[in-house]
């Protein structure tokens, strides 16, 4: 039996997931594999590097730093979240990712990216988190219209959530029999059609496949939620999710709101910890 941790995206809602994963790390919960999407990819590497607290620490520290996330960064670089700062300066100099611990941890780590030309998902496995691997993390979290597509080996990639927001089917295909899925929306959430799709489509004139994926993303997302409910009933998936809608924006500069959402993740994980251990047989 292979156990897997799945981390949904959701921009700054990902701090809920960071609260959950920190509790899991602090309680010695280990997995054979982890797959992250968008913010789940950006924050999920900390699970493999065994660095609880890191995601909250750097997000609150740089919340108001224009190099991290700002309209100025979008205007001058084409990326709302500054690529050089977020994926080079920060992990290499300012809040260093423990690459030795990351590489020593046998847990497999995958991220989801969307091919900007085909609209299909790819699932690269990141074993070293060197600069090449980090580009896949950046691609996974590159939201359309506020990010440039990330060029890797002649292909352009964008946010993994466009093609496969909750990759539970793919994770099961990979052989992970017991999956803990950390979602960032409450149980009664139903995804609606993309707001402002007409305007967004103009930004994506060079990437019609992405526009097509966004047009029906809500249908695929809601179908996946129903599939997850079936898996829960069967006992193959254990879900940790917020009890109510999280009070945080996709872009957030208020450190206190970040701490609150992170804290809700911690509380939720603690409340389900015993049931989780039973599910994993640990």
């Amino acid at each position: 039996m292979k156990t897997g941790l799945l981390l949904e995206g959701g921009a700054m809602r990902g701090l809920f997931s960071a609260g959950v994963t920190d509790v899991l790390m602090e309680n010695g919960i280990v997995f054979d594999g982890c797959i992250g999407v968008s913010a789940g990819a950006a924050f999920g590497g900390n699970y493999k590097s065994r660095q609880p607290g890191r995601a909250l620490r750097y997000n609150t520290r740089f919340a108001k730093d224009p190099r991290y996330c700002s309209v100025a960064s979008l205007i001058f670089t084409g990326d709302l979240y500054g690529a050089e700062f977020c994926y080079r300066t920060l992990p290499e100099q300012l809040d260093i990712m423990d690459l030795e611990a990351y590489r020593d941890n046998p847990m497999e780590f995958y991220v989801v990216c969307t091919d900007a030309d085909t609209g299909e998902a790819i699932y690269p496995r990141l074993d070293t988190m060197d600069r090449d691997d980090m580009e896949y993390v950046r691609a996974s979290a590159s939201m359309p219209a506020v990010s440039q597509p990330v060029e890797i080996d002649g292909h352009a990639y964008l946010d993994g959530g466009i093609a496969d927001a909750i990759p539970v089917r793919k994770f099961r295909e990979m052989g992970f029999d017991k999956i803990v899925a950390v979602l960032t929306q409450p149980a009664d959430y139903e995804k609606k059609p993309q707001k402002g799709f007409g305007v967004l489509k103009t930004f994506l004139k060079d990437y019609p496949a992405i526009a097509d994926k966004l047009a029906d993303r809500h249908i695929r997302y809601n179908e996946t939620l129903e599939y997850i409910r079936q898996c829960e009933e069967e006992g193959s998936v254990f879900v940790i999710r917020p009890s109510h809608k999280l009070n945080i924006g996709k872009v957030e500069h208020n450190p206190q709101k970040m701490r609150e959402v992170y804290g809700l993740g911690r509380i939720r994980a603690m409340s389900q910890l015993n049931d989780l251990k039973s599910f994993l047989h640990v």
Side-chain angles (χ1 to χ4, degrees):
M1 181 186 74
K2 290 179 68 177
T3 60
L5 175 66
L6 185 157
L7 302 175
E8 184 186 10
M12 297 312 293
R13 294 198 311 272
L15 285 170
F16 172 87
S17 303
V20 171
T21 55
D22 281 0
V23 167
L24 301 188
M25 280 190 276
E26 291 161 4
N27 283 273
I29 306 295
V30 298
F31 295 89
D32 297 304
C34 176
I35 190 166
V37 185
S38 196
F43 300 162
N46 297 311
Y47 205 95
K48 185 169 167 62
S49 65
R50 296 187 175 100
Q51 291 177 276
R54 182 172 178 266
L56 177 67
R57 185 172 61 241
Y58 68 69
N59 274 284
T60 53
R61 178 182 174 187
F62 299 110
K64 298 180 181 181
D65 191 318
R67 297 172 299 171
Y68 185 57
C69 175
S70 67
V71 174
S73 175
L74 178 61
I75 292 171
F76 291 109
T77 72
D79 293 301
L80 183 65
Y81 285 86
E84 182 67 24
F85 183 79
C86 293
Y87 299 99
R88 296 284 188 271
T89 306
L90 196 159
E92 294 176 4
Q93 301 174 29
L94 301 177
D95 198 321
I96 297 172
M97 189 172 197
D98 190 339
L99 295 184
E100 183 176 357
Y102 183 96
R103 294 162 185 170
D104 286 346
N105 187 341
M107 184 187 79
E108 301 168 16
F109 184 60
Y110 301 88
V111 300
V112 185
C113 306
T114 302
D115 188 306
D117 293 312
T118 68
E120 297 303 312
I122 67 162
Y123 307 88
R125 174 174 163 173
L126 310 184
D127 292 329
T128 65
M129 205 51 80
D130 59 11
R131 286 194 169 192
D132 290 339
D133 279 3
M134 191 64 80
E135 284 294 273
Y136 283 110
V137 175
R138 180 163 78 93
S140 184
S142 290
M143 298 178 287
V146 294
S147 307
Q148 298 185 81
V150 179
E151 298 282 343
I152 304 173
D153 294 333
H155 295 272
Y157 298 105
L158 281 166
D159 193 326
I162 299 169
D164 197 355
I166 312 175
V168 62
R169 290 183 177 89
K170 183 64 178 182
F171 215 22
R172 294 188 76 177
E173 287 176 11
M174 291 176 176
F176 293 92
D177 313 288
K178 286 274 189 176
I179 297 172
V180 176
V182 183
L183 307 184
T184 59
Q185 296 283 13
D188 61 355
Y189 177 75
E190 181 179 351
K191 197 170 191 63
K192 305 297 183 184
Q194 179 76 45
K195 290 182 179 180
F197 180 70
V199 175
L200 183 58
K201 194 172 181 179
T202 64
F203 283 97
L204 297 169
K205 64 182 186 304
D206 294 330
Y207 301 101
I210 294 294
D212 290 344
K213 284 289 185 180
L214 289 172
D216 66 358
R217 180 169 59 165
H218 62 292
I219 298 172
R220 290 180 285 109
Y221 185 94
N222 293 331
E223 287 176 344
T224 299
L225 290 181
E226 180 56 36
Y227 176 73
I228 288 172
R229 292 186 190 101
Q230 295 172 12
C231 291
E232 284 186 275
E233 292 176 3
E234 296 168 1
S236 60
V237 174
F238 184 97
V239 177
I240 303 175
R241 53 162 65 92
S243 59
H244 57 274
K245 183 178 179 180
L246 297 171
N247 182 31
I248 195 165
K250 284 190 174 182
V251 176
E252 185 59 66
H253 300 292
N254 185 335
Q256 183 55 35
K257 280 192 176 184
M258 294 179 180
R259 294 187 189 99
E260 289 171 0
V261 168
Y262 170 84
L264 290 173
R266 291 191 63 90
I267 291 169
R268 195 66 171 169
M270 288 300 299
S271 72
Q272 295 183 250
L273 189 60
N274 289 335
D275 290 338
L276 174 63
K277 288 180 177 179
S278 296
F279 172 78
L280 295 173
H281 303 297
V282 296

